[in-house]
Amino acid sequence: MVFVDVKSVTQPVGIIRILTLIVTCLCFGLVASVKPDGSPYWAWCMFTWCFCCFFTLLILVLEFTTVNAKLPFDWNDFTAAFAMLASLLCLSASIIYPVFFTCSTCHRQAGASVVSWLCFAGYVSEVVLTYLRPSGQNRGFLSTVPGIMKMLESFFACLIFISMETGQYSHSPELQWCVAVYSLCFIFAVVIILLSLANQNWYSQLSFDKIAIVYNVLAAVMYLTAMVIWPLYSFRNNKRPNNCGKLCPWDKQLLITFMTIFNFIVYTLDTIYSIFVVFFVNHQ
């Protein structure tokens, strides 16, 4: 039987979710009302606002009807992870959209850019309230430092994918290796996130922490090779064209280079932190 929980929409987190639902829907509507753009960055921004709007509405409905209590995973961990992921997505959209798609006469695009920052502020507020939760309440994997790093790794990989074009790597086996690195690491990071969310008990039996350490070490080494190979083979005898515009392929290759460096740093920190926790803190 389904009951109604009015408190879920009257407490501070519920009110913030209602406000973010409104502003994400408004942002999506403003951008959808102008001529679509074929750029993957435009698609990324639209996906961000649509994704955040849909899942915020879903969370509100499930909590209001108390259906969330019947789901087979840690609901608090899921909502905390979503708020952090939505914050990252809205931050990227708030930077990308005004840089590429606004102008002095683009009023609706400018309005969408402002509203997108309100979306970001709303989700950051939810994250803050989540971490002000009483210390007696347990946090799931996605609310811990390794879980947050896994979401960062997946997020940076998504930015790499939307900046990538087939012509950038199809002629070079070395660059194809980099694409394989990005793809494999992204897939395994998502698998770890889904498994940790779906069942909080199985990984204690399979030494999940140690398996994650092995994966992190391999991913960090693979990203180290990509961090060297991608700029070496992308920019060799390839200077920035004088007519390079906002969506210039050369700039996309540069963005991929920086995202590769950032992801290597995150994987390295993830590895160091996991080793410290498993072999030093847990053994005390």
Side-chain angles (χ1 to χ4, degrees):
M1 186 175 180
V2 176
F3 298 93
V4 173
D5 183 11
V6 179
K7 185 180 177 182
S8 67
V9 294
T10 57
Q11 60 185 352
V13 172
I15 294 172
I16 288 175
R17 285 173 182 161
I18 293 173
L19 293 175
T20 51
L21 173 65
I22 294 171
V23 292
T24 50
C25 185
L26 176 61
C27 200
F28 179 83
L30 283 171
V31 177
S33 65
V34 298
K35 184 179 179 181
D37 191 287
S39 165
Y41 295 113
W42 184 88
W44 171 259
C45 294
M46 288 293 283
F47 164 78
T48 292
W49 298 317
C50 185
F51 173 86
C52 293
C53 182
F54 172 78
F55 274 95
T56 302
L57 177 61
L58 181 65
I59 289 170
L60 284 168
V61 171
L62 292 179
E63 288 198 344
F64 184 72
T65 58
T66 66
V67 174
N68 63 301
K70 301 177 177 62
L71 297 176
F73 54 83
D74 188 332
W75 179 254
N76 289 331
D77 193 31
F78 169 75
T79 54
F82 168 74
M84 287 182 282
L85 178 60
S87 300
L88 290 172
L89 291 173
C90 288
L91 176 62
S92 66
S94 300
I95 295 172
I96 291 172
Y97 191 78
V99 168
F100 292 123
F101 306 108
T102 59
C103 60
S104 58
T105 59
C106 305
H107 303 301
R108 278 178 287 186
Q109 290 92 327
S113 301
V114 174
V115 175
S116 184
W117 282 107
L118 296 178
C119 300
F120 170 68
Y123 286 115
V124 168
S125 301
E126 183 178 345
V127 171
V128 171
L129 289 177
T130 299
Y131 276 88
L132 291 178
R133 184 185 302 160
S135 58
Q137 298 186 26
N138 294 328
R139 291 178 179 174
F141 173 76
L142 296 180
S143 300
T144 62
V145 172
I148 294 171
M149 288 187 178
K150 281 288 168 286
M151 287 189 288
L152 276 174
E153 292 156 7
S154 302
F155 171 72
F156 285 135
C158 288
L159 293 181
I160 289 173
F161 292 140
I162 65 171
S163 302
M164 197 171 288
E165 298 176 356
T166 305
Q168 294 171 338
Y169 59 85
S170 59
H171 62 283
S172 171
E174 294 82 5
L175 295 180
Q176 290 173 9
W177 160 255
C178 295
V179 175
V181 169
Y182 303 143
S183 303
L184 289 172
C185 292
F186 173 75
I187 291 171
F188 281 106
V190 171
V191 168
I192 289 174
I193 290 173
L194 293 177
L195 291 177
S196 64
L197 182 65
N199 192 332
Q200 298 292 322
N201 297 319
W202 71 273
Y203 56 77
S204 61
Q205 302 172 356
L206 297 177
S207 301
F208 175 77
D209 292 336
K210 294 181 181 179
I211 294 174
I213 289 175
V214 173
Y215 160 73
N216 289 334
V217 171
L218 291 175
V221 172
M222 292 170 69
Y223 258 91
L224 176 61
T225 64
M227 185 176 67
V228 175
I229 293 173
W230 183 269
L232 180 64
Y233 285 89
S234 292
F235 302 115
R236 186 173 58 180
N237 301 322
N238 180 25
K239 295 183 179 180
R240 190 177 190 272
N242 294 327
N243 59 346
C244 193
K246 288 184 177 180
L247 297 175
C248 176
W250 194 94
D251 289 344
K252 291 181 180 180
Q253 290 177 316
L254 183 63
L255 178 61
I256 292 172
T257 300
F258 279 107
M259 292 301 105
T260 303
I261 295 171
F262 291 155
N263 231 2
F264 167 72
I265 293 172
V266 175
Y267 273 111
T268 303
L269 293 176
D270 194 2
T271 302
I272 294 172
Y273 182 85
S274 299
I275 291 174
F276 175 75
V277 170
V278 172
F279 294 103
F280 296 95
V281 176
N282 291 347
H283 282 184
Q284 290 181 356

